[in-house]
Amino acid sequence: MNYELWFQLASPEIVLSISSLALLLIAAWGGVQSSRLVSVLTVVALFGALALSFNFLLNPSFAEGADAFYGQYRMDRFASLSKILVFLSAIGCIIVAPKFFARGNLMRPEYPILILFATIGMGLMVSAVDLLTLYVGLEMQSLAAYVLASFLRSDDRSAEAGLKYFVLGALASGILLFGMSLLYGFTGTTSFIGIQTAFSDGVSTGALFGIVFVLSGLAFKISAVPFHMWTPDVYEGAPTPVTTFFATAPKVAAMALTMRVAIEAFGGQQSVWQQIVIFVALASIILGGVAAIGQQNIKRLLAYSSINNVGFILIGLATGTEAGASAMMTYLIIYVAMTLGSFICVLDLNDRDGRPVEEIAKLAGLSKTRPGLAAALAVFMFSLAGIPPLFGFWGKFVVFDAAVAAGLIPLAAIGIAASVIGAFYYLKVVKVMYFDEPADVIAPSDSAARMALVTLTALFVSPLGYFATLALSPVTAGAAKALFWAA
Amino acid sequence: MNELGFPILSLMLAVPMAAAVACLFVSANAARWIALLATLVDLALGIVLWMNFDIGGAQWQFVEKAALFDRFSWALGIDGIALMLIMLSVFLMPICIGASWEAIQTRVGEYMAAFLLMEVLMIGVFAAQDIYLFYIFFEAGLIPMYLIIGIWGGANRIYASYKFFLYTLLGSVLMLIAMFWMVNEAGTSDIPTLMAYDFPVEAQAWLWLAFFASFAVKMPMWPVHTWLPDAHVQAPTAGSVILAGVLLKMGGYGFIRFSLPMFPAASVDYLWLVFALSMVAVVYTSLIALVQSDMKKLIAYSSVAHMAIVTVGLFAFNRQGLEGALVVMLSHGLVSGALFLCVGVIYDRLHTREIDRYGGLSINMPRYALLFLLFTMASIGLPGTSGFVGEFLSLVGVYEVSSWAAIVCTTGIILGAAYMLYLYRRVAYGVIKSDDVAAMPDLNKREIALLLPIALVVLWMGVYPESFMAPMRKDVGALEARLASVKPAGDAQVKMGKAPALTPAAHAEEGHH
């Protein structure tokens, strides 16, 4: 027992927990006026946690990673890299929010605090090495997310999104919990490594059901087909800054959690879950592509785009190799930048009265009225479609390379051919912005913070991103290596 | 570093790239001048490259390598084939900018930036020595071309831009999977090393098909050529020039750089496929061209027919076929580019491409009629023009492998003469039908400055092709040697005729036959 080390390992979550409780008090006493102060302090706290996570990632003395709290929690390079992505997304979503809520005076200090709570949950998720930590982290994130989805109380769509998310999320949690209880019943342990050991001489039928249920519950959280139904509705109904958040941080955390469960807990039984993952990956790529074609609302379109991207990321998981895990992390990094950037572009689409514009048709001729924003959105769209030389191509590159190296050539061939379907609807957005006559609906930007974030993410996904590959690859490879420590 | 002491290929990429960025931020007129200047600088650099290219020297020259990225590197270098195709690109680019000088009036900065970006990517495709770097350059061309067709194109531009993008993207993605497999197998992404690597014969078939899917669409080969007429008709003049002049050559370059040397066994196995598709293409697209009423569409279909002669020439597996195919590629790049410019000249005046609207142009536009006639003849393949050299060599090469293919493809030349002369007669001869045609002025100085250099090079290549073939000779020889082990027997064994001999020994030998 070494509490000092344990607390040090969990320091990002501890910092965030203490600050969230303190900020809650400030919010309670300060009321609505304190929302600006609370936002700033939340960002400061997140930057603090970010710095701690960077230390874990880069400090050679943590290269091996370490367990804390009797094998409930692990801080390793995989966890720290995932946390960095989660924290950065959360910071982005807090920075862009005030302008959005300012219209109608709906900004509340609870917004940054709820994001902070969700972030703590996600920190636990990516560090979980035990089914119980997993569940606690997941629920902490989900409960905060349900409230966030319905944050615009007066808006029917927002309330509907929150309710839908809650009902379906609760169902998924139930499925997950059922799977976990089966696993516990058949293996006698809740620890990932214990489950792996118990599986070393085969999987019984009951435990197999457990695996399927756990993976189904997790598929819901990453919004993979066939558990994706909630995504377009929630993404459309939730306030756009919240949608931005949903599409980035929880995706990273849930994906990291899925990787940890599949590779660590079910690691020895890859043949059992591989076909499930292959099916889910291909179904997500194809459905995410086909269903997006008819969408008229850009938020729904981006929701399907995120389903589509999850499919590509899962191809990395299907390989079950270290190269595959490293490719997934690379893809996640690029995915977060692309998604954050495109949603912030959407946030900046307001008409002259300041009302948000979400219809794709109203973006017509945006390249003439707002050339900078149109160019950035075009970069994100081409990048999401995976067209070189934009950086989104690199994510697909590493994932498919890993799939080919693992011998999954038919999977790679079908997946990459299906990516052309996705290209079609991304092109549609570019077409509306560049080829159509200006509708002249969109007002000039009123937020320097948004423009700065859009510029930053657009530069990252531009071809300049390739110069980062030499620096990124050892980081993602180190994270993947940490994941395979027991293998 | 290299022969010149400075990274000339990187510089040739950097100049248009920097100019492209600059064009986005300046006024329309400044953008035009920046673009013209940058493309002329690149042309000058290209000439320096050619002058310093050591013919018969090392296979790969001006090699640069920098480990800038993970898994692939910034590796550039050229052989004679790449040199000639780079020359074609840098030669056509200033002409494209000039052709757009007055025709493009909206969003000039973005237009020039897109063209300069295209130039970067075209040079990059031909200079890349890393297979992944090649893929990035190869695919990235989709974005600027999509925008060029979609923003500055004709009435039905949106359909054409989608079709162009999705067709070529679908063609290429499978090639990427094949590249992953090859790099995993060979342990390097260096193209020269991969060209010498012997891939397992059973894998070659799959790899060949994956590459074929990409290059056949790009080329384009029948039946995946349908994007080309649409894209050509809708693209602005300069877009058509670049599309026909250089982008189609990427398919042929792909065959000669990847399919043939990397998968020789599969190339022979699928010879029938290439020959069959090419034979259909030559006859079928020529017949379609014969009935077109739109000038650009006619030339687009003639491009498909000419490219089919390139593919049969490449897959003849002998020196004549390979060299002929390369010369056809260069010649077609110049001639079809010039023909599209000729269409552009009269389109700018009358704003229609309907052949029936014109007639009797030789009366009021004699200089135009003369140059148009020269390019028409070059397209037909009249001796003395560049078209003849390439088509003759290709067909000689094909004849050694398959006389049927040679016979069918030669009908393409007859049909080509038919549709081109028919086009020329309808446009230039006869009487002037309407007042607006009669009012069309002859070529102005700018247009002469665009067409005359192409005309001179076409004649140069027709009269003294050695200048263009000499740098490629050694590389074609290397490829021929690589293919020697799998060379098909062919059905037309040409033998030297024997003089009748009177000695009994000779008679006895005769009897054994």
Side-chain angles (χ1 to χ4, degrees):
Chain A
M1 259 184 292
N2 183 349
Y3 282 105
E4 197 186 331
L5 176 68
W6 291 359
F7 284 135
Q8 195 197 347
L9 291 174
S11 55
E13 283 79 35
I14 293 172
V15 167
L16 292 182
S17 305
I18 293 171
S19 16
S20 63
L21 293 174
L23 289 168
L24 202 56
L25 290 177
I26 297 180
W29 265 289
V32 178
Q33 292 79 16
S34 65
S35 55
R36 189 180 168 79
L37 175 72
V38 172
S39 296
V40 171
L41 290 176
T42 312
V43 171
V44 170
L46 281 167
F47 268 114
L50 192 65
L52 289 168
S53 305
F54 263 110
N55 182 32
F56 285 116
L57 185 68
L58 302 175
N59 192 335
S61 56
F62 290 107
E64 296 294 305
D67 281 0
F69 309 113
Y70 307 100
Q72 300 265 335
Y73 178 101
R74 176 172 312 128
M75 188 51 140
D76 54 15
R77 292 198 162 169
F78 176 74
S80 50
L81 180 60
S82 311
K83 279 179 199 180
I84 288 168
L85 278 178
V86 166
F87 296 158
L88 282 174
S89 323
I91 291 169
C93 299
I94 294 173
I95 290 177
V96 295
K99 273 274 187 250
F100 177 86
F101 292 111
R103 199 182 54 83
N105 258 336
L106 290 163
M107 186 62 189
R108 296 274 179 284
E110 284 84 0
Y111 173 81
I113 295 174
L114 280 168
I115 287 202
L116 208 48
F117 280 135
T119 309
I120 299 166
M122 289 185 274
L124 281 177
M125 282 161 75
V126 300
S127 277
V129 282
D130 188 287
L131 292 176
L132 290 178
T133 329
L134 178 163
Y135 191 72
V136 170
L138 195 69
E139 281 305 286
M140 176 133 188
Q141 179 265 324
S142 299
L143 287 173
Y146 303 146
V147 182
L148 280 169
S150 48
F151 200 74
L152 287 178
R153 283 173 302 172
S154 50
D155 183 11
D156 284 348
R157 283 198 309 169
S158 180
E160 185 195 325
L163 187 64
K164 240 178 209 164
Y165 196 16
F166 175 69
V167 171
L168 289 171
L171 179 71
S173 294
I175 293 173
L176 184 67
L177 212 48
F178 184 51
M180 281 161 50
S181 62
L182 280 173
L183 282 180
Y184 177 64
F186 282 91
T187 61
T189 173
T190 55
S191 112
F192 287 3
I193 196 71
I195 294 173
Q196 193 190 60
T197 318
F199 279 172
S200 57
D201 42 339
V203 180
S204 62
T205 314
L208 183 64
F209 271 93
I211 292 179
V212 172
F213 277 111
V214 166
L215 288 180
S216 306
L218 292 174
F220 177 91
K221 297 294 172 190
I222 55 175
S223 68
V225 176
F227 302 98
H228 64 286
M229 307 78 74
W230 59 277
T231 319
D233 293 339
V234 172
Y235 277 28
E236 185 191 359
T240 313
V242 175
T243 312
T244 316
F245 182 65
F246 285 173
T248 51
K251 276 272 160 67
V252 175
M255 192 56 87
L257 182 64
T258 312
M259 288 166 78
R260 181 96 78 183
V261 169
I263 289 165
E264 216 157 284
F266 309 152
Q269 298 295 332
Q270 201 198 330
S271 56
V272 172
W273 53 263
Q274 191 180 34
Q275 39 189 314
I276 303 178
V277 173
I278 289 178
F279 167 76
V280 169
L282 284 181
S284 303
I285 292 173
I286 292 170
L287 193 128
V290 174
I293 291 173
Q295 299 305 322
Q296 306 297 326
N297 180 301
I298 187 138
K299 280 163 80 180
R300 284 187 84 85
L301 184 112
L302 287 171
Y304 281 108
S305 147
S306 90
I307 296 172
N308 187 254
N309 275 293
V310 161
F312 289 117
I313 300 175
L314 284 175
I315 285 184
L317 186 62
T319 64
T321 60
E322 226 177 282
S326 163
M328 290 173 82
M329 292 315 284
T330 310
Y331 200 118
L332 277 174
I333 293 170
I334 300 168
Y335 168 79
V336 164
M338 294 188 294
T339 312
L340 203 60
S342 32
F343 271 108
I344 297 174
C345 284
V346 173
L347 267 175
D348 211 54
L349 299 170
N350 297 305
D351 65 12
R352 306 223 182 275
D353 300 327
R355 277 190 302 268
V357 174
E358 292 172 7
E359 276 169 76
I360 295 172
K362 288 192 177 159
L363 303 185
L366 193 68
S367 64
K368 279 188 183 149
T369 48
R370 298 276 311 273
L373 185 71
L377 198 49
V379 164
F380 294 127
M381 289 296 128
F382 281 125
S383 186
L384 281 166
I387 309 294
L390 296 163
F391 204 36
F393 169 69
W394 185 245
K396 294 203 168 64
F397 182 101
V398 287
V399 165
F400 284 113
D401 193 14
V404 171
L408 300 173
I409 294 170
L411 171 68
I414 298 171
I416 204 159
S419 77
V420 178
I421 308 173
F424 177 73
Y425 65 83
Y426 295 120
L427 280 183
K428 190 173 86 174
V429 178
V430 177
K431 173 233 152 198
V432 170
M433 292 192 302
Y434 276 86
F435 304 170
D436 290 356
E437 283 309 306
D440 207 18
V441 180
I442 310 296
S445 177
D446 57 351
S447 164
R450 273 187 218 144
M451 287 296 98
L453 279 177
V454 166
T455 314
L456 212 63
T457 44
L459 282 179
F460 181 70
V461 301
S462 77
L464 296 177
Y466 286 90
F467 291 104
T469 51
L470 271 187
L472 274 181
S473 64
V475 174
T476 53
K481 197 157 176 263
L483 204 56
F484 281 85
W485 69 277
Chain B
M1 181 59 74
N2 62 35
E3 293 81 349
L4 289 167
F6 69 98
I8 184 165
L9 290 171
S10 292
L11 192 64
M12 286 179 80
L13 294 173
V15 168
M17 192 67 234
V21 175
C23 278
L24 288 175
F25 297 100
V26 296
S27 70
N29 217 20
R32 290 189 183 110
W33 283 106
I34 289 176
L36 184 64
L37 201 68
T39 49
L40 285 174
V41 168
D42 249 26
L43 177 59
L45 284 170
I47 292 169
V48 171
L49 197 66
W50 195 0
M51 304 302 278
N52 287 282
F53 188 83
D54 179 16
I55 294 171
Q59 187 182 6
W60 302 99
Q61 303 187 18
F62 306 102
V63 175
E64 304 168 20
K65 196 159 192 167
L68 285 181
F69 315 108
D70 184 31
R71 293 192 210 197
F72 70 103
S73 54
W74 181 258
L76 302 175
I78 53 168
D79 62 353
I81 298 167
L83 170 76
M84 289 293 62
L85 289 166
I86 289 178
M87 285 312 296
L88 177 68
S89 316
V90 295
F91 176 71
L92 285 176
M93 272 318 285
I95 294 172
C96 284
I97 302 293
S100 320
W101 205 263
E102 284 161 6
I104 300 298
Q105 292 296 342
T106 52
R107 305 203 201 178
V108 179
E110 287 158 306
Y111 179 87
M112 295 299 170
F115 263 90
L116 290 164
L117 189 59
M118 280 308 302
E119 177 166 29
V120 174
L121 300 173
M122 290 180 317
I123 298 172
V125 163
F126 298 130
Q129 278 211 311
D130 186 294
I131 198 164
Y132 293 140
L133 192 65
F134 167 85
Y135 184 83
I136 290 177
F137 282 128
F138 187 78
E139 278 294 274
L142 292 183
I143 298 176
M145 206 60 211
Y146 171 74
L147 295 175
I148 287 170
I149 297 173
I151 300 180
W152 296 277
N156 198 13
R157 60 189 197 274
I158 289 165
Y159 171 74
S161 62
Y162 270 89
K163 199 169 177 181
F164 163 77
F165 195 102
L166 295 174
Y167 247 80
T168 31
L169 180 64
L170 185 61
S172 308
V173 286
L174 292 175
M175 179 169 80
L176 184 64
I177 300 292
M179 286 179 175
F180 289 144
W181 194 89
M182 288 161 65
V183 173
N184 272 319
E185 164 81 16
T188 175
S189 56
D190 183 51
I191 290 178
T193 317
L194 288 169
M195 282 169 74
Y197 189 87
D198 293 314
F199 288 100
V201 175
E202 58 275 20
Q204 280 194 20
W206 290 104
L207 298 173
W208 190 91
L209 284 173
F211 276 76
F212 182 72
S214 175
F215 298 142
V217 172
K218 205 85 174 185
M219 193 89 192
M221 290 175 78
W222 185 86
V224 286
H225 66 285
T226 59
W227 64 270
L228 183 74
D230 287 311
H232 266 317
V233 170
Q234 301 303 331
T237 303
S240 297
V241 174
I242 274 306
L243 200 56
V246 187
L247 291 193
L248 301 190
K249 309 302 169 290
M250 288 181 185
Y253 178 76
F255 280 128
I256 211 164
R257 179 68 76 236
F258 297 93
S259 301
L260 288 170
M262 293 183 193
F263 325 119
S267 298
V268 174
D269 290 346
Y270 286 107
L271 199 63
W272 60 271
L273 179 66
V274 175
F275 276 14
L277 295 183
S278 304
M279 281 153 71
V280 174
V282 166
V283 176
Y284 173 78
T285 54
S286 297
L287 289 174
I288 294 181
L290 210 48
V291 296
Q292 290 305 315
S293 58
D294 181 306
M295 276 187 260
K296 266 189 161 179
K297 230 173 188 159
L298 191 152
I299 300 168
Y301 278 110
S302 86
S303 292
V304 182
H306 280 112
M307 287 296 115
I309 294 189
V310 173
T311 43
V312 285
L314 288 177
F315 282 81
F317 288 78
N318 52 40
R319 177 176 284 279
Q320 292 84 351
L322 288 167
E323 284 189 348
L326 284 164
V327 177
V328 173
M329 277 161 67
L330 296 176
S331 155
H332 176 263
L334 296 167
V335 173
S336 68
L339 285 171
F340 278 118
L341 285 173
C342 286
V343 175
V345 164
I346 50 176
Y347 179 80
D348 286 346
R349 287 165 173 66
L350 211 58
H351 296 285
T352 176
R353 292 182 301 265
E354 283 294 310
I355 298 171
D356 289 345
R357 288 278 286 113
Y358 297 94
L361 290 187
S362 55
I363 298 168
N364 62 334
M365 299 176 73
R367 278 180 287 190
Y368 174 77
L370 177 67
L371 284 169
F372 191 22
L373 182 67
L374 173 69
F375 296 126
T376 303
M377 291 304 166
S379 177
I380 296 168
L382 193 75
T385 62
S386 57
F388 172 73
V389 182
E391 289 183 0
F392 177 75
L393 280 173
S394 304
L395 293 170
V396 167
V398 177
Y399 184 67
E400 280 187 33
V401 182
S402 159
S403 35
W404 272 112
I407 291 165
V408 174
C409 290
T410 313
T411 61
I413 298 187
I414 301 166
L415 289 168
Y419 61 73
M420 285 313 292
L421 290 175
Y422 186 44
L423 169 73
Y424 189 76
R425 187 191 70 75
R426 284 181 289 172
V427 172
Y429 294 157
V431 289
I432 296 178
K433 281 183 250 170
S434 58
D435 293 343
D436 50 0
V437 175
M440 282 164 54
D442 204 353
L443 297 179
N444 61 27
K445 282 191 186 121
R446 178 179 65 86
E447 286 157 348
I448 291 176
L450 298 179
L451 289 171
L452 203 58
I454 307 186
L456 293 176
V457 177
V458 164
L459 289 172
W460 177 13
M461 202 185 283
V463 175
Y464 192 68
E466 176 63 16
S467 315
F468 302 90
M469 287 160 78
M472 303 192 290
R473 184 157 294 134
K474 193 155 171 269
D475 303 306
V476 170
L479 183 58
E480 200 193 7
R482 171 93 176 133
L483 296 173
S485 61
V486 294
K487 194 168 173 174
D491 58 359
Q493 300 301 328
V494 186
K495 277 188 193 155
M496 190 68 86
K498 275 186 189 156
L502 295 171
T503 54
H507 280 294
E509 195 186 306
E510 215 60 276
H512 285 301
H513 280 259

